[in-house]
């Protein structure tokens, strides 16, 4: 089983909302881009949050637009063994230092977890934050989480309150 590794965080000192996934899937790893699979709904869901069509933008412009909106990206798993792209197939995960990154973000108000696996792996090490930073579980943007974009969007739209 191959060892897969996450990407560096996309952040700057102005980030108010940090969105954490679990570990990039095969397509994302091949393209070295967050949420590269065309059926993943991440960019569409986030477009609704910030009121900009991220799907229509080139990848670098998407990242720049997120930072302009004070949103950062990373993953909770630094590396793990995994066959394919399913979170359920993650074995022997080694976590990223999310707590260390959080300490370096002075304006951080919330951490959104893209799916149950990200929340399970990422939230445990952040309980010491207390109420200083909200921990927000979100429905996964994965197309395997089959409730559809319309059902997921209200939970994602709730992130807007942390960007004001």
């Amino acid at each position: 089983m191959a060892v897969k590794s996450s990407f560096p965080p996309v952040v700057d000192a102005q980030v108010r909302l940090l969105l954490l996934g679990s570990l990039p899937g095969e397509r994302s790893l091949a393209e070295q881009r967050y949420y590269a699979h065309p059926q993943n709904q991440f960019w569409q869901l986030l477009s609704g949050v910030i009121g900009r069509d991220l799907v229509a933008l080139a990848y670098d412009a998407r990242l720049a637009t997120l930072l302009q909106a004070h949103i950062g990206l990373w993953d909770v798993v630094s590396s793990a063994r995994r066959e394919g792209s399913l979170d359920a197939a993650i074995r022997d995960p080694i976590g990223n230092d999310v707590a260390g990154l959080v300490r370096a973000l002075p304006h951080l108000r919330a951490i959104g977890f893209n799916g149950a696996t990200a929340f399970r792996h990422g939230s445990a090490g952040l309980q010491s934050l207390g109420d200083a930073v909200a921990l927000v579980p979100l429905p996964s943007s994965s197309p395997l989480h089959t409730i559809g974009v319309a059902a997921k969007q209200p939970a994602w739209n709730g992130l807007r309150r942390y960007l004001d």
Side-chain angles (χ1 to χ4, degrees):
M1 204 177 294
V3 173
K4 314 286 173 74
S5 297
S6 67
F7 306 135
V10 176
V11 295
D12 65 19
Q14 302 307 311
V15 165
R16 294 182 190 157
L17 170 65
L18 178 62
L19 295 176
L20 298 174
S22 55
L23 182 68
E26 293 295 318
R27 181 76 172 258
S28 292
L29 290 168
E31 295 186 23
Q32 289 294 291
R33 297 176 179 202
Y34 281 100
Y35 304 102
H37 196 288
Q39 292 179 340
N40 191 295
Q41 301 154 341
F42 179 82
W43 298 109
Q44 183 180 357
L45 290 164
L46 211 46
S47 292
V49 173
I50 67 169
R52 296 265 326 259
D53 184 3
L54 295 166
V55 177
L57 299 177
Y59 181 71
D60 289 341
R62 288 178 183 177
L63 297 182
T65 301
L66 287 187
L67 290 175
Q68 289 169 358
H70 308 297
I71 298 172
L73 293 178
W74 206 19
D75 289 303
V76 297
V77 176
S78 173
S79 65
R81 292 184 306 113
R82 183 180 66 200
E83 193 68 41
S85 297
L86 297 177
D87 281 355
I90 292 173
R91 301 289 179 263
D92 305 322
I94 297 170
N96 273 318
D97 183 10
V98 176
L101 180 62
V102 166
R103 286 190 296 275
L105 299 173
H107 301 288
L108 189 67
R109 297 175 65 198
I111 301 170
F113 296 90
N114 186 0
T117 300
F119 185 74
R120 186 173 58 255
H121 286 280
S123 63
L126 298 173
Q127 299 308 322
S128 64
L129 296 174
D131 294 333
V133 176
L135 304 181
V136 183
L138 296 163
S140 175
S141 65
S142 168
L144 296 176
H145 188 63
T146 59
I147 66 169
V149 171
K152 296 175 187 180
Q153 194 70 60
W156 282 76
N157 286 349
L159 298 172
R160 288 180 189 146
R161 73 176 136 246
Y162 303 109
L163 299 173
D164 296 333

